[in-house]
Amino acid sequence: MKTTFHILPLVLTTLFFSCNGQTTPKKSKLDGQDTSTETKTTYKKNNPIDFVKNYNGENNKLFAFVGQKISVDVLPHRDGSMDGGFKAKYKILQEVFGNFSLDTIEFVAYDHYGVPPFSKFDNVLLFVSSDSGTYFHQKYMYNDVYLTKDGRWAGCYVQQDYEHDNNKKTSVKPIIIDFEKEVSYPTKIIRSDSQVITVSYPKKYFKTIGDKAIAVYGNYVEDLFILKRDGYLTAREIFKDGKLQ
């Protein structure tokens, strides 16, 4: 689920995604002998892929699924990287696009702004791609999703998806969703410097009561995927005309 607040990095970036050898010289000097130098090489693990499970070299260009968070942990900083790396582990609740043989998955997530926003939610629609068996999160792409009264997964209306240039003629439309429990978001956010920020939500799709906006309209995960597929994933050249490239 990505609202204007929850996907701040997505708003700013329109929802786009991002072994080291260490040599230590050791010298010894003996009486009556020349000085000799021994070089000892050690391996410093600071590449995120060193900490995430590799799935036997598979190269799945895209796997989209509804996942339940198990853990999201900070990884050692990668030399020269401007992004933070994170190890994410999720239970797969529903496959939406592509296939995966296990019921849990580990992947690397990069984020320039801190902890990945998707980690703040229990259940999310996630998009990952594998490279030689290691899965990476499609940067900044997710929808927080919730069970509906008919037992399906759905998320709220996401303005950025509908306003993407590629989706101006989309056949997908927001619909009223009967969520099993109320889905709402705060309209006032207190920043670390104590400044209060007011967040606005489209009145047509959210009902504002007090300091919260209650989701009324949204889409089931199948349509959330189509919006991402035809919008940002096409812009990233992963899809073209609805087909995986």
Side-chain angles (χ1 to χ4, degrees):
M1 146 95 102
K2 296 181 261 328
T3 66
T4 303
F5 162 66
H6 290 294
I7 56 169
L8 179 57
L10 306 181
V11 175
L12 297 175
T13 65
T14 56
L15 234 69
F16 281 77
F17 67 118
S18 171
C19 56
N20 188 26
Q22 184 176 355
T23 301
T24 304
K26 182 179 180 180
K27 297 182 179 180
S28 61
K29 187 173 183 179
L30 303 177
D31 291 340
Q33 297 183 9
D34 293 336
T35 302
S36 62
T37 301
E38 295 179 357
T39 300
K40 181 180 180 181
T41 302
T42 58
Y43 183 77
K44 180 182 177 183
K45 291 176 66 176
N46 74 344
N47 190 333
I49 66 174
D50 293 329
F51 300 87
V52 177
K53 185 174 181 179
N54 183 281
Y55 296 95
N56 299 320
E58 69 175 66
N59 286 285
N60 192 348
K61 191 159 189 179
L62 187 79
F63 176 51
F65 66 98
V66 175
Q68 182 181 57
K69 182 174 69 175
I70 297 175
S71 61
V72 176
D73 301 313
V74 179
L75 293 175
H77 183 70
R78 184 176 183 178
D79 293 345
S81 176
M82 297 181 66
D83 296 324
F86 298 82
K87 174 184 177 179
K89 185 175 183 179
Y90 276 74
K91 179 180 180 180
I92 298 172
L93 302 178
Q94 179 184 337
E95 294 182 344
V96 179
F97 181 86
N99 302 104
F100 191 76
S101 60
L102 304 177
D103 61 359
T104 60
I105 185 171
E106 291 183 7
F107 58 90
V108 176
Y110 289 109
D111 198 290
H112 187 66
Y113 303 94
V115 178
F118 67 76
S119 67
K120 299 176 183 178
F121 303 99
D122 292 331
N123 304 304
V124 284
L125 173 62
L126 289 167
F127 305 80
V128 296
S129 300
S130 62
D131 180 6
S132 301
T134 300
Y135 277 86
F136 294 86
H137 176 234
Q138 285 286 338
K139 200 172 185 182
Y140 304 136
M141 296 188 61
Y142 75 96
N143 292 76
D144 50 305
V145 295
Y146 307 86
L147 278 174
T148 63
K149 290 182 179 179
D150 59 358
R152 300 171 65 185
W153 291 102
C156 77
Y157 170 80
V158 182
Q159 185 172 354
Q160 290 75 26
D161 282 338
Y162 278 100
E163 292 183 350
H164 193 284
D165 286 344
N166 293 346
N167 284 332
K168 289 183 176 180
K169 296 182 179 180
T170 182
S171 60
V172 177
K173 304 297 180 185
I175 60 175
I176 295 176
I177 300 290
D178 290 326
F179 291 104
E180 186 177 62
K181 298 179 180 179
E182 179 184 283
V183 176
S184 61
Y185 306 91
T187 59
K188 295 186 183 299
I189 306 298
I190 301 177
R191 300 196 327 181
S192 58
D193 59 2
S194 299
Q195 181 179 353
V196 178
I197 298 176
T198 299
V199 183
S200 61
Y201 296 82
K203 293 181 179 179
K204 182 177 179 180
Y205 307 109
F206 294 84
K207 181 180 179 180
T208 301
I209 299 178
D211 291 338
K212 66 180 180 180
I214 302 172
V216 178
Y217 282 78
N219 293 101
Y220 291 105
V221 290
E222 293 81 5
D223 282 343
L224 293 176
F225 169 76
I226 291 174
L227 289 169
K228 288 290 195 303
R229 180 197 70 188
D230 296 345
Y232 296 106
L233 290 172
T234 294
R236 295 180 185 182
E237 299 183 346
I238 295 175
F239 284 88
K240 183 178 181 180
D241 298 328
K243 296 181 180 179
L244 190 66
Q245 297 300 291

